[in-house]
Amino acid sequence: MKIGFHIVQLGGGGAERVLVLLANYFSAKGHKVYVIANKACADEYCIDSSIDKRYIDDELIAEDGPIIRNAKRIKFIRDLCRLEDIDCMISFMAEPNIRSIIACLGLRTKNIVSVRNEPAREYPGIKLTVARALFRLADCIVLQTTQAVEAFKGLEKRATIIPNPVDESFYCVRADLDSARIVTAGRLEAQKNQELLIRAFAKICDEFPETTLDIFGTGALLEHLQRVAVECGVAPQVVFHGRTKNMPLELSNAAVFVLSSDYEGMPNALMEAMAAGIPSISTDCPCGGPADLIQNGQNGLLVPPNNAEAMASALEDLLRDKSRSGRMAYESRRSMERYRVSNICERWQTAVMDVVLR
């Protein structure tokens, strides 16, 4: 079988990492795999050498406007599908989804689109209405949460829920719950709302003077967040590490993991921490990824979005009650077994086979 994947780029985020993982999986299974990105980027995820990788924008010129650029991108994908006789094209995220649907019209190539974030954010305003209309032309819509399905009412028969997989390295972590580190990981952008976590940490740090808040990630808000830490009087205890290539090691020395986002799809960072057996706190944000993962009070704690008081209370709870923290860590790891790479990739394989053989 010949399978294509389309995304903007091959590095930097959770969607990109999952797409590369799936491409490598299908290639290892003996399928011919094509990966199509708009352009190359620094720190791309490692892709198997047997995979045919193409960069669309290599074919464009600087003078092309946005309409011409997208028309050329669609033509590139369509030509590849036709010339290589691709059986199924899988796209991730908003613009690639739209391009792939149009590119596959009238071809024998089947099309699977995948929504990777909160739908109203991935398709803001009128774009969600357009997406609902175009998605009727897709052969399958992969969503990550039950809440996300609700955004595409009338398309339930085309929809399937497949959450993100968790790399096996996180299941091997042996956590030190006596650590004095609160850890978070994610891009330093408004969506992730690390400011909320810093302000919540400031409310409890006097009671836990040895505790640090370790923030992993890069982004445009670094200087702003550093100023917030100074403003809150916790700058010496808040450490900005930038990006790490060994998150399992960092989690092995974490007492608590926190996701402070305003919205998410199925958050990789939270899943990885839970698989590593780290007691975790998350905002109960749309489109329901954290709520699908956490049974509140059993394998983690959910708090309302943008509520520093509630987050501070949850932090104090887990830092003070080590017995409860330990039980939560055990339940957390146990609940994540179904998200192992082999299980999730098999679900993707079933979805692809169902579409191709339909």
Side-chain angles (χ1 to χ4, degrees):
M1 187 162 54
K2 295 181 177 180
I3 303 171
F5 290 88
H6 177 41
I7 196 167
V8 172
Q9 61 183 29
L10 299 173
E16 293 83 357
R17 179 169 45 178
V18 172
L19 181 141
V20 169
L21 185 152
L22 287 171
N24 289 340
Y25 171 83
F26 279 107
S27 180
K29 289 287 186 179
H31 302 290
K32 177 60 178 175
V33 175
Y34 304 80
V35 171
I36 309 161
N38 285 6
K39 56 187 176 182
C41 69
D43 298 322
E44 290 187 345
Y45 293 113
C46 184
I47 196 163
D48 190 87
S49 60
S50 66
I51 292 173
D52 189 338
K53 181 168 60 174
R54 311 282 183 101
Y55 295 114
I56 304 177
D57 288 3
D58 289 347
E59 307 293 323
L60 305 183
I61 59 175
E63 290 75 17
D64 289 335
I67 294 176
I68 297 298
R69 294 178 75 84
N70 273 305
K72 286 185 174 181
R73 288 167 178 160
I74 291 168
K75 183 178 184 301
F76 184 103
I77 298 167
R78 184 175 181 83
D79 287 347
L80 183 67
C81 288
R82 187 175 63 250
L83 293 172
E84 298 294 336
D85 198 24
I86 291 175
D87 296 291
C88 184
M89 178 62 65
I90 302 170
S91 54
F92 273 35
M93 303 173 74
E95 290 185 9
N97 285 342
I98 302 303
R99 280 195 289 268
S100 292
I101 289 172
I102 297 171
C104 292
L105 287 175
L107 301 181
R108 65 171 292 276
T109 303
K110 299 300 180 79
N111 180 245
I112 298 177
V113 297
S114 184
V115 179
R116 311 306 297 178
N117 212 326
E118 203 277 313
R121 301 282 186 163
E122 191 166 321
Y123 300 92
I126 190 65
K127 289 183 180 180
L128 185 57
T129 301
V130 173
R132 289 190 184 113
L134 283 175
F135 280 11
R136 295 182 183 279
L137 301 173
D139 294 288
C140 178
I141 307 164
V142 174
L143 301 155
Q144 295 183 291
T145 72
T146 52
Q147 277 188 27
V149 176
E150 296 172 7
F152 295 96
K153 288 188 182 300
L155 299 174
E156 291 89 351
K157 290 184 178 180
R158 296 177 184 269
T160 186
I161 296 174
I162 306 179
N164 286 339
V166 178
D167 189 271
E168 291 298 321
S169 61
F170 290 95
Y171 292 93
C172 299
V173 171
R174 293 295 171 259
D176 178 11
L177 301 185
D178 292 323
S179 163
R181 297 170 77 224
I182 298 168
V183 171
T184 189
R187 301 183 309 278
L188 306 184
E189 297 178 5
Q191 173 192 351
K192 304 299 182 179
N193 201 355
Q194 289 95 347
E195 179 175 344
L196 169 67
L197 177 53
I198 294 171
R199 295 191 182 281
F201 176 67
K203 294 179 182 296
I204 59 100
C205 67
D206 286 345
E207 296 184 52
F208 304 94
E210 301 301 318
T211 302
T212 62
L213 172 56
D214 292 61
I215 299 175
F216 292 88
T218 59
L221 295 183
L222 174 60
E223 292 184 2
H224 169 73
L225 294 171
Q226 289 172 329
R227 288 194 296 270
V228 171
V230 172
E231 172 195 323
C232 292
V234 293
Q237 292 168 264
V238 178
V239 185
F240 294 90
H241 293 272
R243 189 175 296 164
T244 177
K245 292 186 177 180
N246 196 346
M247 200 63 211
L249 177 63
E250 301 297 344
L251 287 171
S252 70
N253 189 27
V256 180
F257 178 86
V258 182
L259 184 80
S260 51
S261 298
D262 291 337
Y263 61 94
E264 286 282 352
M266 182 61 72
N268 287 293
L270 176 61
M271 298 178 78
E272 291 163 355
M274 293 178 68
I278 310 302
S280 297
I281 300 166
S282 175
T283 50
D284 188 5
C285 59
C287 59
D292 280 359
L293 296 169
I294 293 177
Q295 291 75 52
N296 193 31
Q298 297 180 38
N299 64 340
L301 294 176
L302 292 171
V303 299
N306 208 28
N307 188 323
E309 292 288 347
M311 183 166 284
S313 177
L315 282 170
E316 183 177 3
D317 187 6
L318 291 185
L319 291 171
R320 193 179 300 283
D321 190 343
K322 292 296 183 181
S323 177
R324 185 186 189 201
S325 184
R327 292 193 301 272
M328 202 169 287
Y330 172 80
E331 292 297 332
S332 171
R333 188 190 292 272
R334 193 163 69 94
S335 69
M336 295 302 294
E337 284 296 317
R338 64 184 182 273
Y339 299 105
R340 286 185 180 270
V341 169
S342 57
N343 295 335
I344 300 302
C345 285
E346 285 174 7
R347 290 172 66 174
W348 270 98
Q349 180 166 273
T350 297
V352 170
M353 294 302 294
D354 285 349
V355 163
V356 170
L357 298 176
R358 188 177 300 164

